[in-house]
Amino acid sequence: MTQLALVIDLNVCVGCHACVTSCKEWNTSGPAGFMSDDNPYDKDPTGTFFNRVQTYEVGVYPNTETVHFPKSCLHCEDPPCVPVCPTGASYKREEDGIVLVDYDKCIGCKYCSWACPYGAREIDEHQKVMKKCTLCVDRIYDENLPESERKPACVLACPTSARLFGDVHDPDSVVSQTIREEAGYQLMPEWGTHPANHYLPRRKQKIHIHEDELIRADNPLKKEGERPKVDEEGHTLDDVMSW
């Protein structure tokens, strides 16, 4: 059985939120539809996002580092949100393992959000239905798009290629190879939900900076030559420019 999923490399995610904004743009304008975003710059902002990036400061000063942690639905192989849904609105597709919500059946009871241990589901306060990441199911199968663009919007937007997309059940896929080679792991495996999405851990890296790299290439003093000398006769700019 195919199981599509994301593999997110925490070592190269820079927390730029390009994945968040591209996800919002694509899904708001696609079949996933309206995603509310009220009072974004005022008191008590609320909104619906399929994908969020949470930023943490870890360690003890001065040995601290910043970790950016993207979070969305993990498309669990045994999703606890599905059996608790009283109307069958939450379901897992057999053909590709994507977990979706049928808005026509959803009654907004929030049972699925209580069952999800990852906090991945959010209610749309306007439509009163539960919403979550769809892995851009409307995009990845769209034959009107070039094959290279049949990927989730967040994957295409990531400037550091921190996100990979593919079948984690195919041992020869790029995502499976990356999980094996980079020690990819599932989030909170103790819950037994078998999340399809995997994370690649942060890794210690040594960077050697050459001395010439510390010299500014755009140093204005080098471009413009010597700085002008002070007018010893006391002329001001007004004296020069006035006529």
Side-chain angles (χ1 to χ4, degrees):
M1 171 183 167
T2 299
Q3 177 61 66
L4 298 179
L6 299 174
V7 175
I8 302 173
D9 191 345
L10 300 180
N11 203 48
V12 296
C13 176
V14 295
C16 67
H17 287 239
C19 56
V20 178
T21 54
S22 64
C23 169
K24 188 92 169 178
E25 187 278 333
W26 176 262
N27 287 292
T28 295
S29 58
F34 177 72
M35 294 167 67
S36 62
D37 198 2
D38 299 327
N39 304 318
Y41 304 110
D42 296 323
K43 187 180 178 183
D44 301 325
T46 63
T48 305
F49 291 80
F50 289 176
N51 178 50
R52 294 181 184 269
V53 178
Q54 298 173 335
T55 299
Y56 305 92
E57 197 75 15
V58 298
V60 178
Y61 180 84
N63 300 315
T64 61
E65 58 182 325
T66 303
V67 177
H68 306 289
F69 194 86
K71 194 178 76 174
S72 61
C73 173
L74 303 170
H75 298 279
C76 301
E77 299 197 37
D78 189 10
C81 56
V82 171
V84 300
C85 180
T87 65
S90 290
Y91 64 102
K92 186 174 180 66
R93 287 161 50 111
E94 291 186 2
E95 60 268 39
D96 53 21
I98 297 176
V99 178
L100 293 176
V101 180
D102 184 340
Y103 298 158
D104 291 335
K105 295 181 179 178
C106 181
I107 57 176
C109 66
K110 301 183 183 178
Y111 283 1
C112 56
S113 66
W114 296 334
C116 174
Y118 308 106
R121 289 175 170 247
E122 301 182 5
I123 190 165
D124 190 303
E125 294 293 346
H126 291 257
Q127 293 179 303
K128 300 299 182 186
V129 296
M130 300 304 295
K131 294 188 173 180
K132 55 175 282 304
C133 166
T134 67
L135 276 183
C136 289
V137 66
D138 57 321
R139 180 184 188 101
I140 62 178
Y141 294 112
D142 188 349
E143 295 185 356
N144 293 318
L145 293 173
E147 190 168 351
S148 60
E149 295 183 13
R150 296 177 200 167
K151 298 176 182 177
C154 60
V155 175
L156 292 171
C158 182
T160 62
S161 299
R163 289 169 172 260
L164 300 175
F165 170 69
D167 180 9
V168 293
H169 281 185
D170 178 359
D172 298 323
S173 68
V174 173
V175 287
S176 293
Q177 292 175 11
T178 304
I179 291 170
R180 288 196 300 271
E181 294 171 2
E182 303 293 343
Y185 65 93
Q186 296 171 314
L187 195 63
M188 299 165 64
E190 64 273 20
W191 284 91
T193 60
H194 305 293
N197 285 8
H198 284 66
Y199 291 88
L200 305 183
R202 290 174 62 82
R203 304 176 285 282
K204 293 288 185 183
Q205 287 183 314
K206 290 185 178 180
I207 301 176
H208 179 71
I209 301 177
H210 298 280
E211 188 173 349
D212 59 340
E213 293 178 310
L214 297 176
I215 301 174
R216 284 183 55 180
D218 60 343
N219 189 335
L221 295 181
K222 286 191 172 181
K223 287 185 175 180
E224 300 173 3
E226 293 187 7
R227 300 176 65 180
K229 294 181 180 178
V230 177
D231 186 347
E232 296 180 353
E233 296 183 0
H235 291 158
T236 66
L237 185 61
D238 289 338
D239 296 330
V240 178
M241 299 298 293
S242 60
W243 60 84

